[in-house]
Amino acid sequence: LERARSWKPSGAAVITGATGRLGKHVAGGLAESGANPIVLLSRHAAEHPQTAELEQDLKSRGVATAAISVDVSDRSALAAAL
């Protein structure tokens, strides 16, 4: 557990299932740890109502974001998105 607290991200972070129950918490934790930018992936990220709120929160912390709608189980679609 101590190792997890000392981990500092550098560069971009990608969150799959970003509009799920844990996505907002994971994004907030990554932002606090220094991840920038944060890419939010989910099947309906671009049109999900909570995505705009999450992006606004992250941007207020100085974190650049991108919300991408993609089914991560579709390898071709995921490769194209990233």
Side-chain angles (χ1 to χ4, degrees), residues 13-78:
V14 177
I15 301 172
T16 61
T19 57
R21 292 180 186 232
L22 293 176
K24 181 177 182 178
H25 300 291
V26 171
L30 286 168
E32 287 177 19
S33 296
N36 195 1
I38 296 178
V39 180
L40 307 167
L41 302 179
S42 77
R43 287 186 183 105
H44 305 289
E47 30 321 300
H48 197 283
Q50 291 179 338
T51 303
E53 181 181 317
L54 177 55
E55 284 189 293
Q56 184 177 8
D57 175 52
L58 294 171
K59 287 177 183 177
S60 73
R61 300 181 197 201
V63 177
T65 63
I68 302 172
S69 296
V70 63
D71 182 349
V72 297
S73 68
D74 181 338
R75 294 180 96 177
S76 298
L78 181 60

